[in-house]
Amino acid sequence: MSRAADRLKVVLNHLDRSHGAVRASFTSAQNVSYHHHPQAFQYTFDTDVLTPEQRIAYEKDGFILIRNLVSDEDIDKFRKEFERICKREVKVPGLLVMRDVSIAKSEFVEGEKAVTKLQDFQEDPELFRYCALPQILKYVECFTGPNIMAMHTMLINKPPDTGKKTSRHPMHQDLHYFPFRPADRIVCSWTAMEKVHRQNGCLVVLPGSHHGTLQEHDYPEWEGGINKMYHGVRNYDPDHPRVHLEMEKGDTVFFHPLLIHGSGMNQTKGFRKAISCHYASSDCYYIDVKGTTQENISNEVKELAAKKYGVDDTVSFQDTWALRGRLVQGQRTSM
């Protein structure tokens, strides 16, 4: 194995994530001193941050939009760091740099236009600062409780569509990618880094779809191709009411991992940027996805880890997540 793989093994050996320990920690988490009303509210805790109306809206729809939550100053710093990474002025360990399938081999100049997504930026101090912003975490705590792990980080730079419609993101549920539960203690924060509207491919959500179960996902059969790991829900009701989340710079949406959502084509000439983080309670526990609808993404992630880091089959899908997770508030109990 490579040196990176050896280091990965060392880190994993120090993570005690036995099934028994995880279960015990999760059970004890039920006694947190929160005003939780399970009969009335399944998805949120009463931390005096969300209004009753906001809690009801999240319960019903699976998302809430908070206007002007992140400052222009912070967003401009995140944008500058993104540009530095694109220009190769800084190298971030573990960072996954992604490109659109229709422009990956194009003759773009070095710099911003080549990159359409940064994933796993937990080792970049400036970008990861987003995940620990106090104004973000005070809302996250409403969904996860006090022990908060930042599990999945992304900066999306949706490119102008080349005409092949590959700038679309198929309708999907984020839980498809996560080998940890319970789903109700996971939440995503997604912040617009500029004005986001239907023309440049804003998020589109199916309100209330978080009440359902995790659906089967796979690559959609799109004529123009599909970007790597952009799995989509195989079957969902196309007549389900949908909401296009048009947002201003700094607006942030929080949504449930079972909420079916995606985004349309970017039909403008500019890039559309957003920064996001998926959080989970550190009282969550890992599950084995073998034999489930998540096995396809598990195999794909393990293949990528083998190619990028030279790891062998002893490194599981769960291990790849344990390595990336970072505690941002409270105590790391199970995760």
Side-chain angles (χ1 to χ4, degrees):
M1 291 193 296
S2 67
R3 291 178 62 187
D6 289 337
R7 291 197 299 272
L8 177 62
K9 287 283 191 177
V10 171
V11 172
L12 293 173
N13 287 337
H14 284 82
L15 293 174
D16 180 12
R17 294 181 289 107
S18 65
H19 185 75
V22 164
R23 285 292 185 180
S25 297
F26 178 69
T27 302
S28 64
Q30 305 309 309
N31 297 321
V32 293
S33 57
Y34 273 58
H35 308 296
H36 192 206
H37 308 287
Q39 292 183 349
F41 295 105
Q42 177 179 345
Y43 304 109
T44 59
F45 295 106
D46 182 6
T47 64
D48 294 325
V49 173
L50 295 178
T51 66
E53 292 77 17
Q54 287 174 320
R55 295 184 72 191
I56 291 170
Y58 191 86
E59 192 80 15
K60 173 176 175 286
D61 297 327
F63 69 94
I64 56 167
L65 179 58
I66 307 298
R67 299 291 185 183
N68 197 31
L69 187 62
V70 180
S71 70
D72 286 356
E73 180 182 2
D74 278 329
I75 289 175
D76 291 344
K77 288 179 180 178
F78 302 148
R79 179 187 292 268
K80 183 63 177 178
E81 183 69 1
F82 173 73
E83 292 175 357
R84 290 182 65 223
I85 292 171
C86 292
K87 293 175 181 177
R88 296 181 174 87
E89 294 176 3
V90 59
K91 188 173 182 180
V92 182
L95 183 70
L96 182 61
V97 179
M98 303 178 75
R99 294 168 172 82
D100 188 287
V101 292
S102 69
I103 66 172
K105 296 180 181 179
S106 298
E107 296 178 357
F108 282 100
V109 295
E110 290 281 327
E112 185 178 339
K113 285 189 176 180
V115 177
T116 57
K117 183 188 288 187
L118 300 180
Q119 191 161 290
D120 302 330
F121 58 67
Q122 65 274 0
E123 295 297 333
D124 184 281
E126 181 56 51
L127 291 182
F128 192 72
R129 191 170 59 81
Y130 167 78
C131 305
L133 288 174
Q135 66 267 40
I136 294 281
L137 291 182
K138 78 173 185 179
Y139 280 98
V140 171
E141 186 173 355
C142 301
F143 310 102
T144 64
N147 299 321
I148 306 174
M149 296 287 294
M151 297 299 296
H152 185 229
T153 55
M154 292 188 297
L155 194 154
I156 305 103
N157 189 40
K158 183 186 278 284
D161 200 86
T162 61
K164 296 185 177 181
K165 302 181 180 180
T166 56
S167 65
R168 293 177 293 175
H169 197 305
M171 301 299 283
H172 65 284
Q173 296 166 299
D174 290 340
L175 192 66
H176 171 66
Y177 297 91
F178 304 151
F180 42 89
R181 300 292 189 273
D184 294 347
R185 299 283 76 84
I186 303 168
V187 71
C188 177
S189 68
W190 193 100
T191 298
M193 295 178 65
E194 56 206 302
K195 186 177 179 65
V196 175
H197 45 78
R198 294 185 68 165
Q199 288 69 37
N200 65 5
C202 67
L203 289 178
V204 57
V205 302
L206 304 189
S209 55
H210 67 304
H211 294 300
T213 59
L214 180 60
Q215 303 297 306
E216 184 178 358
H217 288 61
D218 209 339
Y219 286 109
E221 296 178 358
W222 286 352
E223 184 178 343
I226 182 69
N227 287 303
K228 193 70 173 172
M229 295 192 187
Y230 276 31
H231 290 194
V233 176
R234 276 194 173 274
N235 296 296
Y236 69 92
D237 182 3
D239 295 325
H240 191 293
R242 55 181 62 196
V243 173
H244 292 83
L245 296 178
E246 297 195 321
M247 301 163 65
E248 299 291 336
K249 181 179 179 180
D251 290 353
T252 302
V253 61
F254 296 90
F255 58 89
H256 192 280
L258 283 172
L259 183 74
I260 297 176
H261 65 287
S263 63
M265 288 186 295
N266 181 357
Q267 302 177 66
T268 69
K269 294 181 179 180
F271 284 73
R272 187 272 278 158
K273 292 180 178 61
I275 188 169
S276 75
C277 180
H278 281 90
Y279 299 89
S281 168
S282 73
D283 304 310
C284 287
Y285 53 89
Y286 287 99
I287 64 168
D288 185 359
V289 301
K290 187 174 181 179
T292 73
T293 60
Q294 292 179 260
E295 190 168 8
N296 57 352
I297 190 64
S298 171
N299 292 336
E300 196 168 329
V301 168
K302 287 189 291 185
E303 288 172 8
L304 178 65
K307 181 178 180 180
K308 187 174 176 66
Y309 302 110
V311 298
D312 57 29
D313 289 341
T314 62
V315 176
S316 69
F317 185 39
Q318 295 91 329
D319 290 334
T320 66
W321 284 100
L323 183 69
R324 286 177 283 178
R326 296 290 184 274
L327 184 72
V328 288
Q329 181 178 296
Q331 296 181 333
R332 188 168 188 169
T333 53
S334 295
M335 297 286 281

